[in-house]
Amino acid sequence: QVQLVQSGSELKKPGASVKVSCRASGYPFTTYAINWVRQAPGQGLEWMGWINTNTGTPTYAQGFTGRFVFFLDSSVSTAYLQISSLKAEDTAIYYCVRGGHHGDYLFAWGQGTLVTVSS
Amino acid sequence: DIQMTQSPPSLSASAGDRVTITCRASQGISNYVAWYQQKPGKVPNLLIYGASTLQSGVSSRFSGGGSGTDFTLTISSLQPEDVATYYCQNYVSAPRTFGQGTKVEI
């Protein structure tokens, strides 16, 4: 079955960087896009952008340019989110999500990775 | 960017009630709307895509409708396990914005 398994929780200091991994299984990795979604504590869902797993081309939503980078290692069916110059307001759960069969809705969700930024 | 406005932000209903959540897009998006359910402390789950297509395995209590700018998610008979926050999302183009969410309580 389709599974997206993310790396574990991270505690980082302001100014540091973090890399979140998302390993996909149960389907051909390059067939479907991977989206990234952020959920700050007690808040709603925020679409960060997506990466074309066939070409490696990322697309970022406004507010997620510059410090946020999506990239792939297709040899291990894994997508990555890297955030640099972390700020307290980056504290959130980050989800990777596979696109759907019939369109770009969010079909299969990873379990989420909590990133906490605190001094 | 397309804005998705959900209403109400929250609602409380009794078990067995029919509940409807609305989502309005700031411009026409045909039927490129999905609905997600997020139970407390859990990962969001796809309920409906294409405005009205029920995702496999989702209870038939849930139904979606609408086209263009106005969309609805209906729970035909609210059950205790439906307590959750529900989100609409446009996926016609990037950015694939979410609505603000509707918290449903019993």
Side-chain angles (χ1 to χ4, degrees), chain A residues 45, chain B residues 6-9 11 19 21-22 34-39 45 47 61-62 73-75 78-89 98-105:
Chain A
L45 304 174
Chain B
Q6 262 183 261
S7 60
L11 67 90
V19 167
I21 298 167
T22 65
W35 290 93
Y36 305 91
Q37 175 193 61
Q38 186 177 32
K39 296 183 178 181
N45 183 52
L47 294 177
R61 294 197 306 279
F62 294 93
L73 173 70
T74 298
I75 308 172
L78 189 66
Q79 300 301 305
E81 60 265 33
D82 301 332
V83 168
T85 300
Y86 294 85
Y87 297 92
C88 61
Q89 185 203 23
F98 289 96
Q100 305 94 316
T102 295
K103 187 174 184 179
V104 174
E105 297 175 317

Side-chain angles (χ1 to χ4, degrees), chain B:
Chain B
D1 295 357
I2 297 169
Q3 308 303 316
M4 303 294 283
T5 304
Q6 262 183 261
S7 60
S10 64
L11 67 90
S12 182
S14 300
D17 283 355
R18 183 181 182 88
V19 167
T20 297
I21 298 167
T22 65
C23 185
R24 174 164 287 176
S26 59
Q27 63 190 74
I29 57 172
S30 184
N31 66 337
Y32 290 95
V33 162
W35 290 93
Y36 305 91
Q37 175 193 61
Q38 186 177 32
K39 296 183 178 181
K42 301 297 186 183
V43 178
N45 183 52
L46 173 68
L47 294 177
I48 285 169
Y49 62 91
S52 61
T53 301
L54 200 65
Q55 171 61 19
S56 176
V58 172
S59 171
S60 58
R61 294 197 306 279
F62 294 93
S63 63
S67 184
T69 60
D70 295 312
F71 302 90
T72 58
L73 173 70
T74 298
I75 308 172
S76 60
S77 176
L78 189 66
Q79 300 301 305
E81 60 265 33
D82 301 332
V83 168
T85 300
Y86 294 85
Y87 297 92
C88 61
Q89 185 203 23
N90 110 77
Y91 62 94
V92 69
S93 62
R96 296 172 191 151
T97 44
F98 289 96
Q100 305 94 316
T102 295
K103 187 174 184 179
V104 174
E105 297 175 317
I106 289 183

Side-chain angles (χ1 to χ4, degrees), chain A residues 30-115:
Chain A
T30 58
T31 305
Y32 299 94
I34 294 288
N35 296 260
W36 290 94
V37 174
R38 182 171 78 175
Q39 188 168 38
Q43 302 301 306
L45 304 174
E46 197 173 9
W47 185 78
M48 300 172 64
W50 67 287
I51 185 163
N52 183 317
T53 53
N54 192 38
T55 65
T57 303
T59 298
Y60 301 98
Q62 220 168 19
F64 296 100
T65 55
R67 296 189 300 116
F68 299 82
V69 178
F70 309 148
F71 59 100
L72 307 172
D73 184 345
S74 297
S75 67
V76 289
S77 301
T78 300
Y80 298 91
L81 163 66
Q82 184 156 316
I83 312 172
S84 58
S85 303
L86 282 163
K87 306 174 183 181
E89 51 263 41
D90 294 325
T91 295
I93 297 173
Y94 293 85
Y95 295 101
C96 64
V97 198
R98 201 204 84 172
H101 298 291
H102 306 292
D104 296 322
Y105 50 88
L106 305 179
F107 171 69
W109 295 66
Q111 84 274 24
T113 296
L114 174 62
V115 174

